[in-house]
Amino acid sequence: MNDKLLRDLLLGFVKVHILHHADKEPIFGQEFHEELKRHGYDLSFGTLYPIFHKLEADGYLKSKKENINGKIRRYYSITATGKKLLNKAKEQAKELVEELFED
Amino acid sequence: MNDKLLRDLLLGFVKVHILHHADKEPIFGQEFHEELKRHGYDLSFGTLYPIFHKLEADGYLKSKKENINGKIRRYYSITATGKKLLNKAKEQAKELVEELFED
DNA sequence: TTGATAATATCGCTGAACGATATTATATTT
DNA sequence: AAATATAATATCGTTCAGCGATATTATCAA
């Protein structure tokens, strides 16, 4: 079955989930990619990294490079603005889903 | 505040909501546009109509033209394939939201 | 018959998604 | 010490979707 619609749904959520995780602890690309895979979501790095970049450019995330055994990791954590947005997004997502299940 | 992220979230949901409403009764563009507006969502017709077209082309909706006082309306209703997709989408959306709210 | 109205359709631009490829910095092997 | 492997991030070029603006369709009203 064609599930472009399911993909769109996922893509709408990915940014919110990034903020959600970056709110709990610093995260980095590969790790988050694995996390998604574990949940059955296959998202390419060509999609994922630019999302991180955009979220940082827009001030919702801040990042810090760290050298782990010679591999550079860029750890992202949420900003104050990011937290505000995250809360709004969670509310909106909840409302939209609730509407689908009421009556 | 920049809320492109909230918009992406909405856009991911719009198709699911279209299927959801078209499952309850036949709907048409202007009406659904009003419905979204009432909920505070502003979606242009240049966005909305192509979505309807795509959903029909993919076999999730079927449409029938009707002439109401000389104004042509195209009423959309859900297909069997559309119902299956709708159920999957609802499950996926629910899971994604639940994760945002657990622990 | 001209204009107003309700609705759908589509154009052209911009920007995002994505597979593929390049780059970075070290550790390991030959 | 040179070459290879590895873990990770970065970005290119193409395709496609979102969207404001504009066009089209079919009546009714002035």
Side-chain angles (χ1 to χ4, degrees):
Chain A
M1 177 187 300
N2 173 344
D3 52 1
K4 176 67 166 41
L5 185 145
L6 297 180
R7 176 131 203 117
D8 288 349
L9 200 53
L10 170 64
L11 282 170
F13 268 105
V14 163
K15 291 160 196 164
V16 187
H17 275 260
I18 289 176
L19 291 184
H20 176 66
H21 281 93
D23 189 27
K24 298 197 291 188
E25 66 199 338
I27 58 173
F28 64 101
Q30 292 283 346
E31 179 193 50
F32 189 76
H33 183 255
E34 279 305 313
E35 162 87 7
L36 286 174
K37 226 178 189 170
R38 243 177 285 125
H39 285 73
Y41 302 122
D42 177 34
L43 202 47
S44 107
F45 289 110
T47 302
L48 196 54
Y49 282 117
I51 291 176
F52 275 96
H53 300 164
K54 192 74 194 334
L55 286 174
E56 180 167 32
D58 290 348
Y60 302 127
L61 292 177
K62 55 176 182 283
S63 78
K64 200 161 55 106
K65 275 192 195 173
E66 274 183 49
N67 191 318
I68 312 285
N69 296 339
K71 321 296 166 357
I72 306 165
R73 278 187 201 168
R74 187 177 284 273
Y75 279 103
Y76 290 89
S77 40
I78 200 165
T79 64
T81 324
K83 283 189 191 200
K84 280 185 218 155
L85 181 60
L86 174 58
N87 288 330
K88 278 196 199 174
K90 282 170 72 172
E91 279 317 304
Q92 177 170 311
K94 199 171 113 194
E95 276 172 32
L96 286 164
V97 165
E98 278 172 357
E99 253 183 68
L100 287 177
F101 284 92
E102 75 197 10
D103 70 23
Chain B
M1 173 185 303
N2 172 344
D3 52 2
K4 175 66 165 43
L5 185 145
L6 297 181
R7 176 127 202 119
D8 288 349
L9 202 51
L10 170 64
L11 283 170
F13 267 104
V14 162
K15 291 158 196 164
V16 187
H17 274 262
I18 288 176
L19 292 184
H20 176 65
H21 281 94
D23 189 27
K24 296 197 292 188
E25 66 199 337
I27 59 174
F28 63 100
Q30 292 283 346
E31 179 193 50
F32 189 77
H33 183 254
E34 280 303 314
E35 162 86 8
L36 285 175
K37 227 179 190 169
R38 244 177 283 124
H39 285 72
Y41 301 121
D42 176 33
L43 202 47
S44 106
F45 289 111
T47 302
L48 196 54
Y49 283 117
I51 291 177
F52 274 96
H53 299 164
K54 191 76 196 334
L55 286 174
E56 181 167 31
D58 289 349
Y60 303 126
L61 291 178
K62 57 177 181 282
S63 78
K64 200 160 55 108
K65 276 192 196 172
E66 275 182 48
N67 191 318
I68 312 286
N69 297 340
K71 322 295 164 2
I72 306 166
R73 278 186 199 169
R74 187 178 283 273
Y75 278 103
Y76 290 89
S77 41
I78 199 165
T79 64
T81 325
K83 283 190 189 196
K84 282 185 216 155
L85 182 61
L86 175 58
N87 287 330
K88 279 196 196 173
K90 281 170 72 171
E91 279 316 303
Q92 177 168 314
K94 199 172 115 195
E95 277 172 31
L96 287 164
V97 165
E98 278 171 357
E99 252 184 69
L100 287 177
F101 285 92
E102 75 197 10
D103 68 25

